[in-house]
Amino acid sequence: METLLLPSSSSSSSASFSNFSPSKHALNLHKNPIFLKPQNIFFDKSTKSVPCAAQNMNNSAAAAADGQLTKEVKLWGGRFEESVTDAVEKFTESISFDKALYKHDIMGSRAHASMLAHQGLISESDRDSILRGLDKIERQIEAGEFVWRTDREDVHMNIEATLTELVGEPAKKLHTARSRNDQVLTDFRLWCRDNIDIIVACVKRLQVAMLRLAVKNEGLIVPGYTHLQRAQPVLLQHLLLAYIEQLERDVGRLLDCKVRMNFCPLGACALAGTGLPIDRFMTSDALGFAAPLRNSIDAVSDRDFVLEFLSANSIIATHLSRLGEEWVLWASEEFGFLIPSDSVSTGSSIMPQKKNPDPMELVRGKSARVIGDLVSLLVLCKGLPHAYNRDLQEDKEPVFDSVKTIIGMLEVSAEFAQNITFNQERIQKALPAGHLDATTLADYLVIKGVPFRTSHDIVGRAVAMCVSRNCQLQDLSLSELRSINPVFDEDVYEFLGVENAIKKFRSYGSTGSQCVASQIDYWTARLEIDRVK
């Protein structure tokens, strides 16, 4: 496993690694972006209602262990005379998945409480009580001691109700000038922002693994394919660098998405804002956003940022699937170009001889999940009117799944890349087939002054002669070549054979040795790694 060397911080919004600066929180979440520790969820069975502030936190936890907690009056339930049915409560709860937002919910509440105190809407004493209570709740959650209750519906109400139990009246002031609509969007943007940083770091690690694999295989020529037919010889390094280029564009899309995502909904409230004298710029700055969102309706309605995020993930998944497809083919007996180590292979339960590149098959397969998550969000959003609609509760699970899946795909692809070798003997034996130097021969004729279309025809006849005689272009004698066209001379043999063909590539970005060496140098510097074979 390569050591991850993160680039230096920069304030620029450009999509290069040199401008990638992951948040401290994102790095802390890197091992598991969804949960740090297993969490307890209590599914209450009683239908009796009691005020939420009437219970002590410790007593609640103990009662939960005995299955004796009673259903609470909702924090929004003042105008209701009946509790929702158990079926409705089970169907509408989101705590089973949105508890993943707990840290960001607490971050937002800290910023909001501080702003309210600064604006004189709550006292400094109330603010301090709230902050102490939030600190305690965060410690309980991360220790796995917090009891998540489905009758409290979601992460916001679980934390707020528990805060009320801990600090009493000050906690009831925290929701001043805030709705769950703008609260959840603030949490969600923070969560997505952090996880973009995590995914970018995983992409970088895969790029580093691919670059090291390229450096290790300097000079190795492989058949290049179009239409899955042999086309021209290429350096293996050149092919691996193509994937690094794709991954770099993936990084660019993620960082561009992060720039557009990084605006704060907090203070937009339900949809219309508030008449209270809040300072949205203060909370935005405290949470590291570029600015508050300008329009309060847009602030609570917008899901463009998740659509763009999942679109970027889907393109990454597609790139990884193509890599998986190529490596699975190359590991087959028919190709035999690639040999995965035992540490990244699996066997068959019935065929003892089998050695399967299963990790890359699963990478190929899991791309369908990531693409499906995007489609789910597109369909979810396509028919919704402004502003907030409860349908949007369904946006979290596809995003969580997409992020978890894409991180797994990136990590196992990097692991696979570090545990494969290329079968040089098999590749060398395979190179003569397919007349891979035919285009280089056409270039030779162009240099001699023959129009390319005429050159194409001449080389086509030369290939036909080789096919009839079961030989390679370089095996044809000069007299045989001149029988096709007298322009051929002794120097033609400097263009024939895959090694000579590689030497003749000289255009910028080509597979020529000097061009590829320049690309290797570029990526070594850009990815900030030591050039070690």
Side-chain angles (χ1 to χ4, degrees):
M1 186 68 71
E2 302 291 346
T3 301
L4 184 62
L5 301 176
L6 292 174
S8 58
S9 173
S10 172
S11 59
S12 170
S13 61
S14 173
S16 68
F17 271 127
S18 60
N19 295 318
F20 164 52
S21 180
S23 69
K24 181 179 179 181
H25 177 53
L27 295 179
N28 290 337
L29 286 178
H30 188 198
K31 291 185 179 179
N32 189 336
I34 308 299
F35 291 101
L36 295 179
K37 292 189 178 181
Q39 304 296 323
N40 301 316
I41 305 177
F42 174 68
F43 293 87
D44 57 278
K45 299 178 181 178
S46 171
T47 58
K48 181 181 177 182
S49 298
V50 297
C52 70
Q55 300 178 37
N56 175 270
M57 175 67 183
N58 294 330
N59 291 338
S60 296
D66 295 334
Q68 296 175 350
L69 278 181
T70 52
K71 190 180 295 183
E72 296 179 341
V73 171
K74 307 297 184 184
L75 295 179
W76 44 259
R79 61 98 66 208
F80 291 83
E81 296 181 0
E82 296 180 75
S83 299
V84 297
T85 66
D86 289 344
V88 168
E89 185 159 274
K90 184 176 181 180
F91 186 71
T92 58
E93 65 84 19
S94 61
I95 190 59
S96 56
F97 54 86
D98 69 14
K99 61 184 180 293
L101 302 174
Y102 79 88
K103 185 173 284 290
H104 303 92
D105 195 71
I106 291 171
M107 288 168 60
S109 291
R110 286 186 182 121
H112 190 65
S114 298
M115 181 275 294
L116 292 176
H118 184 268
Q119 296 300 104
L121 291 168
I122 66 174
S123 68
E124 292 185 0
S125 175
D126 287 342
R127 175 202 62 198
D128 293 344
S129 295
I130 290 169
L131 295 179
R132 283 194 297 271
L134 290 171
D135 288 345
K136 183 172 183 178
I137 290 171
E138 185 173 33
R139 289 194 299 271
Q140 289 173 335
I141 293 172
E142 294 184 349
E145 298 169 357
F146 190 86
V147 178
W148 298 102
R149 294 183 52 157
T150 57
D151 58 337
R152 291 175 176 172
E153 297 184 9
D154 56 34
V155 62
H156 324 294
M157 295 178 74
N158 265 266
I159 290 174
E160 185 178 340
T162 303
L163 183 65
T164 303
E165 293 170 354
L166 288 173
V167 306
E169 287 298 310
K172 296 181 180 181
K173 301 176 183 180
L174 177 59
H175 211 55
T176 302
R178 184 174 74 171
S179 165
R180 279 190 292 173
N181 295 357
D182 61 330
Q183 186 178 357
V184 68
L185 261 296
T186 302
D187 296 356
F188 205 18
R189 284 175 183 263
L190 289 169
W191 189 93
C192 289
R193 190 178 72 183
D194 280 347
N195 280 275
I196 283 176
D197 290 347
I198 293 167
I199 294 171
V200 168
C202 289
V203 172
K204 178 180 171 72
R205 192 167 72 213
L206 176 56
Q207 286 183 298
V208 169
M210 297 289 277
L211 183 58
R212 290 195 180 279
L213 190 61
V215 170
K216 189 186 298 183
N217 287 277
E218 184 176 357
L220 179 57
I221 301 172
V222 298
Y225 294 83
T226 62
H227 309 277
L228 267 183
Q229 304 298 312
R230 291 174 174 234
Q232 291 179 276
V234 298
L235 289 171
L236 175 62
Q237 291 180 311
H238 194 55
L239 180 58
L240 296 174
L241 289 169
Y243 282 105
I244 294 176
E245 294 282 354
Q246 287 184 335
L247 292 167
E248 182 73 1
R249 291 193 295 275
D250 292 331
V251 168
R253 275 182 284 271
L254 287 168
L255 296 183
D256 286 346
C257 173
K258 182 180 172 183
V259 170
R260 279 183 287 277
M261 177 188 295
N262 199 34
F263 291 86
C264 186
L266 197 57
C269 299
L271 81 161
T274 179
L276 295 171
I278 63 171
D279 185 345
R280 291 189 62 207
F281 287 89
M282 180 179 175
T283 48
S284 174
D285 289 344
L287 294 169
F289 288 109
L293 284 157
R294 282 189 297 268
N295 185 291
S296 62
I297 295 175
D298 178 59
V300 298
S301 303
D302 172 45
R303 292 301 185 280
D304 292 356
F305 70 97
V306 289
L307 291 173
E308 187 174 3
F309 187 14
L310 295 197
S311 177
N313 281 354
S314 296
I315 296 172
I316 296 172
T318 301
H319 288 158
L320 296 179
S321 182
R322 294 183 68 181
L323 174 65
E325 170 71 5
E326 187 148 81
W327 282 0
V328 167
L329 279 174
W330 280 26
S332 69
E333 200 65 46
E334 284 68 24
F335 275 80
F337 292 176
L338 183 151
I339 305 171
S341 74
D342 290 353
S343 63
V344 291
S345 304
T346 63
S348 165
S349 63
I350 190 172
M351 296 170 284
Q353 84 280 11
K354 292 293 295 297
K355 182 177 179 179
N356 302 323
D358 276 11
M360 297 313 292
E361 292 181 56
L362 281 171
V363 164
R364 189 176 59 190
K366 284 180 182 292
S367 65
R369 287 182 63 152
V370 179
I371 295 167
D373 290 329
L374 169 62
V375 173
S376 294
L377 259 293
L378 287 167
V379 175
L380 174 69
C381 294
K382 73 175 183 63
L384 293 182
H386 284 104
Y388 181 81
N389 299 273
R390 189 64 180 270
D391 313 51
L392 292 171
Q393 177 176 297
E394 293 298 302
D395 62 358
K396 312 297 179 305
E397 289 179 289
V399 176
F400 294 161
D401 181 70
S402 175
V403 168
K404 182 178 180 181
T405 304
I406 205 70
I407 288 173
M409 291 170 69
L410 286 163
E411 288 182 336
V412 81
S413 296
E415 191 80 8
F416 197 84
Q418 293 172 81
N419 288 278
I420 60 174
T421 55
F422 292 94
N423 189 337
Q424 298 195 28
E425 183 179 353
R426 182 73 172 266
I427 292 170
Q428 201 68 34
K429 288 180 180 178
L431 280 173
H435 307 98
L436 300 178
D437 48 358
T439 304
T440 310
L441 182 58
D443 289 344
Y444 166 82
L445 293 171
V446 169
I447 293 171
K448 292 291 185 178
V450 180
F452 179 77
R453 284 301 174 197
T454 305
S455 300
H456 190 285
D457 179 69
I458 292 170
V459 174
R461 285 186 281 142
V463 169
M465 181 181 289
C466 289
V467 170
S468 67
R469 299 184 182 184
N470 193 26
C471 67
Q472 301 302 311
L473 286 168
Q474 63 187 350
D475 298 328
L476 295 176
S477 68
L478 184 58
S479 61
E480 287 172 324
L481 288 170
R482 283 178 170 169
S483 70
I484 299 170
N485 193 288
V487 75
F488 288 109
D489 209 340
E490 289 286 351
D491 59 350
V492 68
Y493 294 102
E494 297 174 11
F495 288 76
L496 296 178
V498 293
E499 290 83 4
N500 285 332
I502 288 292
K503 292 176 184 177
K504 296 301 180 182
F505 286 102
R506 65 180 68 186
S507 63
Y508 176 80
S510 73
T511 194
S513 300
Q514 290 185 347
C515 298
V516 171
S518 177
Q519 293 177 51
I520 292 285
D521 289 341
Y522 170 82
W523 283 110
T524 298
R526 186 170 180 80
L527 296 175
E528 301 176 348
I529 66 170
D530 296 326
R531 186 166 178 171
V532 179
K533 292 185 180 182

